[in-house]
């Protein structure tokens, strides 16, 4: 995803929200939403398309929208967005960040209850006033209060996938500055944590002044908080995430990168090892305490080598046994993006996807995949236009013929609902016709722990189930996992040789890394799937691989890192 496209799509989507809050024409609201989806799904930078004079060729972009896109590309903002924002109570758009509150509900709460921000919303829920309004009840109040609490617990943390494109643009820009020898993100973003509180970037150069001057002039910088010879603190993007850029001489780059990557607990252990060797480690290097001579610092490998360790991958620097494994020479060979041979979770226009199966298959082939699988929703998921049995067979007939022209082997599958009793949403004879069956829970999330566990374990015991989709049901920062016995689920997956999905969609990142580690230790297979609903979503794969790496997973246990013949043998087990 290109950060400019994402930022522009967010602006257009907010305009649609503002118009809906003002009860403007539904046609105008829909036009902006359609435009936002079109921009977000582009496979190239919208600026390149504008440069060719082809904005109007984008589906959903008319002359009015094209003018606003041009304005954004010229100025970095849209005046109409600012005008609408000023016309509304300042806290009203923020209400729509809470689950269960869309524009219509936000407007209703404002007009009927005087709710203007998160605090007055929470008080109205505690007072039981929401249940006096149409279509809102005690259950809605409770859900909103839980959403507010999760938001406050999360604090100012940002989803990793939301800031990653922005950071990629900034680091690329810094890398083009004359005299810069190396640049990298650090901190929890480099460790691929689900969420990040702020961003750290390390730059190696002998000309710090040039970097500082160029950095503060970048269009992505919303505000400069502090500026010094070795550190510049800025706010990036419309989300105003804080970013600290550390500027060091090349001889200290590896030490600074290791130090600011963390984690804190990992670094404490490393410093303890250094002290026992008469050494001191800080962001400038590794020093002999007796002579003050710097022994290492240019590379991370040198820093770890100074204390007798091999380089440790950033994703597992959490003081969770990685140092002991490194001492024993037993660090895992973590799965890498280049190991992935296919994507087994993709939706098309047959259910709630945007693109055709052909478009999705060709996009998978363009990524070098040897295979992919089309897995539209099953019949019970009405809101996602689930595919009926009769339509599924017609769909399968068209999909299976794509292998001859798409440039990759195209498998036919389905994401099948796990019903309340643990049964699957298609008859067995239909499931037997599919290459891949992903079973997922999409309803009745609040079942008691024992019931939810039995439900999922029964599904895992179904002979046709190949993959358990997004196993815990969590949405990052929005919805907690189901209440279930995850160890029982992992044990059932081991016993039945069913793969657990690492859903790479930025909203999910599910299975979470802590459970991936448990699955890995139990010998359970995983499948890393993007859950793509348009071709651009195939770009989510690095997020899923990051989760797998944080869970110490190697390629041998990732079924879509296997050659096609091995995968087909597993699926036909």
């Amino acid at each position: 995803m290109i950060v400019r496209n994402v930022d522009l799509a967010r602006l257009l989507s907010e305009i649609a929200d503002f118009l809906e809050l003002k009860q403007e024409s539904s046609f105008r609201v829909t036009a902006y939403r359609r435009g936002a989806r079109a921009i977000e799904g582009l496979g190239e930078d919208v600026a390149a398309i504008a440069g060719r004079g082809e904005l109007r060729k984008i589906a959903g972009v008319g002359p009015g929208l094209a003018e606003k896109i041009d304005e954004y590309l010229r100025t970095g903002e849209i005046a109409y967005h600012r005008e609408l924002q000023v016309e509304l109570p300042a806290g009203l758009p923020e209400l729509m960040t809470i689950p269960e509150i869309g524009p219509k509900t936000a407007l209703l709460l404002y007009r009927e209850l005087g709710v203007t921000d998160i605090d007055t919303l929470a008080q109205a829920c505690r007072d039981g006033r929401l249940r006096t309004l149409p279509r809102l009840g005690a259950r809605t109040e409770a859900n909103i209060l839980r959403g507010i609490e999760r938001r406050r617990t999360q604090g100012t943390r940002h989803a990793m996938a939301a800031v990653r494109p922005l950071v990629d643009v900034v680091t690329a820009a810094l890398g083009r500055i004359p005299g810069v020898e190396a640049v990298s993100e650090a901190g929890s973003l480099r460790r691929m944590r689900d969420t990040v509180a702020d961003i750290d970037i390390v730059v190696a150069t002998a000309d710090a002044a040039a970097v500082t001057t160029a950095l503060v002039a970048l269009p992505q910088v919303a505000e400069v908080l502090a500026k010094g010879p070795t550190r510049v603190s800025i706010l990036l993007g419309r989300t105003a995430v804080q970013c600290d850029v550390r500027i060091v001489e090349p001889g200290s780059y590896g030490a600074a990168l290791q130090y600011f990557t963390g984690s804190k607990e990992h670094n404490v252990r490393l410093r303890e090892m250094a002290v026992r060797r008469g050494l001191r480690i800080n962001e400038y290097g590794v020093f002999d305490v007796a002579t003050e001579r710097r022994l290492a610092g240019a590379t991370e490998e040198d820093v770890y080598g100074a204390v007798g360790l091999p380089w440790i991958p950033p994703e597992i620097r959490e003081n969770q046994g990685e140092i002991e494994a490194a001492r024993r020479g037993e660090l895992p060979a973590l799965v890498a993006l280049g190991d992935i041979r296919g994507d087994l979770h993709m939706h098309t226009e047959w259910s709630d996807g945007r693109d055709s199966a052909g478009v999705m298959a060709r996009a998978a082939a363009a990524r070098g995949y040897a295979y992919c699988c089309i897995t539209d929703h099953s019949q019970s998921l009405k809101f996602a236009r689930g595919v009926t049995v009769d339509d599924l067979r017609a769909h399968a007939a068209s999909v299976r013929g794509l292998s001859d022209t798409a440039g990759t082997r195209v498998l036919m599958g389905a994401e099948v609902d796990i019903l309340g009793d643990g049964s699957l949403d298609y008859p067995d004879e239909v499931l037997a016709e599919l290459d891949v069956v992903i079973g997922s829970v999409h309803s009745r999330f609040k079942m008691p722990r024992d019931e939810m566990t039995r439900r999922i374990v029964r599904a895992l015991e179904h002979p046709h189930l190949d993959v358990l989709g997004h196993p815990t049901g969590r949405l990052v920062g929005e919805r907690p996992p189901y209440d279930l016995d995850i160890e029982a689920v992992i044990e059932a997956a081991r016993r039945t040789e069913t793969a657990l999905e690492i859903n790479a969609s930025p909203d999910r990142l599910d299975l979470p890394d802590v459970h991936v580690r448990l699955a890995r230790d139990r010998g359970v297979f995983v499948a890393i799937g993007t859950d793509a609903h348009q071709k651009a979503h195939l770009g989510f794969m690095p997020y899923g691989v990051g989760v797998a790496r944080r869970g110490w997973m190697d390629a041998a246990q990732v079924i879509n890192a296997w050659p096609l013949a091995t995968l087909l043998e597993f699926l036909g087990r």
Side-chain angles (χ1 to χ4, degrees), residues 160 191-192 315 513 541-551:
M160 176 267 292
R191 301 200 317 275
M192 296 295 287
E315 296 90 344
D513 52 28
M541 187 61 75
Y543 303 134
V545 172
V547 173
R549 289 173 65 86
R550 284 185 58 78

Side-chain angles (χ1 to χ4, degrees), residues 278-349:
L279 305 175
R280 182 178 72 253
I281 296 179
N282 59 28
E283 62 265 45
Y284 301 107
V286 182
F287 298 87
D288 184 298
V289 173
T291 66
E292 290 297 320
R293 185 168 65 93
R294 184 166 67 186
L295 306 177
T299 69
E300 284 193 316
E301 288 81 357
D302 290 343
V303 172
Y304 282 100
V307 293
L309 295 177
W311 179 81
I312 297 176
E315 296 90 344
I316 62 173
R317 298 180 193 174
E318 300 288 353
N319 192 29
Q320 296 292 326
E322 71 278 7
I323 288 178
E324 289 77 9
R327 277 174 167 166
R328 298 191 302 269
E330 296 176 358
L331 283 174
L334 301 180
V335 62
L337 185 61
D339 294 324
I340 302 301
R341 298 172 185 251
D343 195 332
L344 300 179
H345 193 163
M346 299 161 54
H347 297 271
T348 76
E349 59 191 5

Side-chain angles (χ1 to χ4, degrees), residues 403-425:
S403 296
D404 297 330
T405 58
T408 188
R409 174 69 178 275
V410 185
L411 305 177
M412 180 60 197
E415 185 179 12
V416 182
D417 261 35
I418 297 175
L419 304 179
D421 63 356
S423 61
L424 301 183
D425 191 28

Side-chain angles (χ1 to χ4, degrees), residues 345-571:
H345 193 163
M346 299 161 54
H347 297 271
T348 76
E349 59 191 5
W350 277 76
S351 61
D352 60 344
R354 168 181 164 175
D355 294 320
S356 69
V359 167
M360 296 296 286
R362 288 189 292 274
R367 292 180 176 273
Y369 290 158
Y371 50 83
C372 65
C373 188
I374 303 300
T375 53
D376 282 300
H377 287 291
S378 63
Q379 55 194 351
S380 288
L381 206 62
K382 303 299 184 185
F383 69 85
R385 302 197 306 276
V387 182
T388 65
V389 170
D390 290 341
D391 285 345
L392 180 67
R393 288 184 168 130
H395 186 20
S398 63
V399 166
R400 293 190 188 283
L402 291 173
S403 296
D404 297 330
T405 58
T408 188
R409 174 69 178 275
V410 185
L411 305 177
M412 180 60 197
E415 185 179 12
V416 182
D417 261 35
I418 297 175
L419 304 179
D421 63 356
S423 61
L424 301 183
D425 191 28
Y426 282 138
D428 286 359
E429 61 271 19
V430 173
L431 296 173
E433 298 172 10
L434 299 171
D435 297 313
V436 179
V437 176
I438 299 174
S440 302
V441 171
H442 288 114
S443 62
R444 298 184 63 188
F445 301 140
K446 297 176 183 177
M447 294 175 70
R449 178 185 178 87
D450 289 348
E451 290 182 28
M452 181 64 82
T453 302
R454 282 195 298 270
R455 175 187 184 182
I456 293 177
V457 168
R458 183 185 176 196
L460 285 165
E461 291 171 343
H462 195 290
H464 292 305
L465 186 69
D466 301 304
V467 180
L468 177 63
H470 41 78
T472 76
R474 72 151 182 184
L475 294 176
V476 177
E478 293 185 25
R479 186 174 72 203
Y482 325 128
D483 188 8
L484 82 165
D485 183 344
I486 190 66
E487 292 207 23
V489 169
I490 289 174
E491 173 56 26
R494 184 202 62 77
R495 175 168 46 82
T496 60
E497 295 188 333
T498 307
L500 300 178
E501 182 183 52
I502 299 175
N503 190 298
S505 173
D507 294 336
R508 292 189 181 275
L509 302 180
D510 181 17
L511 204 63
D513 52 28
V514 63
H515 301 323
V516 173
R517 177 81 179 271
L518 181 59
R520 177 252 190 194
D521 292 346
R522 301 285 175 84
V524 173
F525 300 123
V526 300
I528 307 174
T530 60
D531 200 353
H533 283 66
Q534 55 182 274
K535 64 180 182 179
H537 292 173
L538 295 177
F540 294 157
M541 187 61 75
Y543 303 134
V545 172
V547 173
R549 289 173 65 86
R550 284 185 58 78
W552 293 48
M553 189 63 72
D554 60 30
Q557 284 178 241
V558 180
I559 67 171
N560 56 311
W562 297 346
L564 177 61
T566 307
L567 174 67
L568 293 177
E569 183 179 355
F570 169 79
L571 295 173

Side-chain angles (χ1 to χ4, degrees), residues 100 124-132 136-146:
E100 302 219 26
C125 289
R126 287 193 292 266
D127 293 344
R129 288 186 285 140
L130 263 68
R131 67 189 70 179
T132 65
L136 301 178
R139 183 175 179 180
T140 302
E141 286 177 337
N143 289 342
I144 289 173
L145 281 172
R146 279 194 292 270

Side-chain angles (χ1 to χ4, degrees), residues 263-281:
S263 65
K264 178 181 177 181
E265 294 77 11
H266 175 88
N267 285 356
V268 166
R269 291 289 310 282
L270 210 61
R271 289 196 293 271
E272 289 173 349
M273 293 179 66
V275 168
R276 288 194 291 271
R277 288 172 172 252
L279 305 175
R280 182 178 72 253
I281 296 179

